[in-house]
Amino acid sequence: MKTTTTMNAMSATSNEPRITSLEIAEITGKNHKDVMRAIRSMEPAWHKIAGRNFALGSYMDKDQQVRPCYSITKNECVYIATKFNDEARAKLVLRWYELEQQEYDRQQQALVLQSQMVELVKGLRPLAQLGALAVESPNCIYFADMAKILTQQGFVIGQKRLVEKLRT
């Protein structure tokens, strides 16, 4: 039974990666109801040791019926996987590796964007300083004077290029 869910791999309440019992069923080739039963049977022992239950959620099945499913962390999944055969456990391990790789890639992209933003802001700083000087000036300021001030601030630009930049 291949049913999809709209739940994300990331929990809505934390940044901890999660997979659903639906995905576990799909990965292991088990029926979702059997996976749910296995998780329910293991929950009391997990609660006793970890001090919490598995996160219970819901999804809409193909008949538009609301059905229960679990949202499972990596540690919880490792515990639950002990119920499955070697092949199913191996598939779950590979899925977690994939989720962690996706998260790593997402973080790397965020770092690149952050670096690009920093460089953009650095490039705008001289223009912001010029704007502040122009506003503070009791008299009008000429483009030639603006270009000189920018050059002194390390932003080398001539009068003509400054006028072009300001017009675009």
Side-chain angles (χ1 to χ4, degrees):
M1 175 176 138
K2 189 170 181 170
T3 307
T4 56
T5 178
T6 57
M7 293 178 74
N8 293 329
M10 298 300 279
S11 166
T13 57
S14 73
N15 285 339
E16 190 173 20
R18 293 177 170 270
I19 63 174
T20 65
S21 53
L22 285 167
E23 190 172 0
I24 292 172
E26 188 175 318
I27 290 168
T28 61
K30 308 272 185 209
N31 287 323
H32 185 242
K33 68 179 183 173
D34 296 331
V35 171
M36 290 290 288
R37 184 176 25 250
I39 293 172
R40 276 191 216 103
S41 72
M42 299 177 82
E43 194 166 29
W46 181 258
H47 185 271
K48 184 177 179 182
I49 300 301
R52 65 179 189 275
N53 290 330
F54 301 124
L56 187 60
S58 62
Y59 71 100
M60 290 281 233
D61 69 9
K62 64 181 185 279
D63 300 322
Q64 300 302 305
Q65 297 291 316
V66 176
R67 303 283 183 200
C69 69
Y70 284 99
S71 177
I72 305 294
T73 66
K74 182 178 181 179
N75 287 342
E76 293 166 346
C77 188
V78 168
Y79 171 65
I80 291 164
T82 62
K83 283 278 193 186
F84 301 121
N85 63 33
D86 293 343
E87 185 179 324
R89 281 194 306 272
K91 288 177 180 179
L92 288 170
V93 166
L94 291 175
R95 176 61 180 140
W96 276 106
Y97 173 78
E98 183 182 314
L99 286 174
E100 289 170 344
Q101 187 63 47
Q102 288 171 357
E103 178 61 15
Y104 174 79
D105 292 345
R106 188 192 65 74
Q107 290 175 354
Q108 292 303 310
Q109 288 174 342
L111 288 173
V112 168
L113 286 174
Q114 182 182 17
S115 174
Q116 291 171 343
M117 291 296 290
V118 166
E119 290 305 312
L120 179 63
V121 168
K122 283 181 184 176
L124 294 175
R125 188 173 296 137
L127 291 174
Q129 290 170 338
L130 176 64
L133 287 171
V135 168
E136 292 170 6
S137 174
N139 303 317
C140 66
I141 186 165
Y142 296 102
F143 288 115
D145 294 333
M146 283 190 212
K148 264 188 223 176
I149 293 169
L150 284 171
T151 301
Q152 291 168 354
Q153 296 292 320
F155 191 76
V156 180
I157 189 167
Q159 178 181 342
K160 287 181 182 179
R161 279 187 41 222
L162 174 62
V163 171
E164 287 173 14
K165 277 200 175 277
L166 292 173
R167 285 185 177 156
T168 59

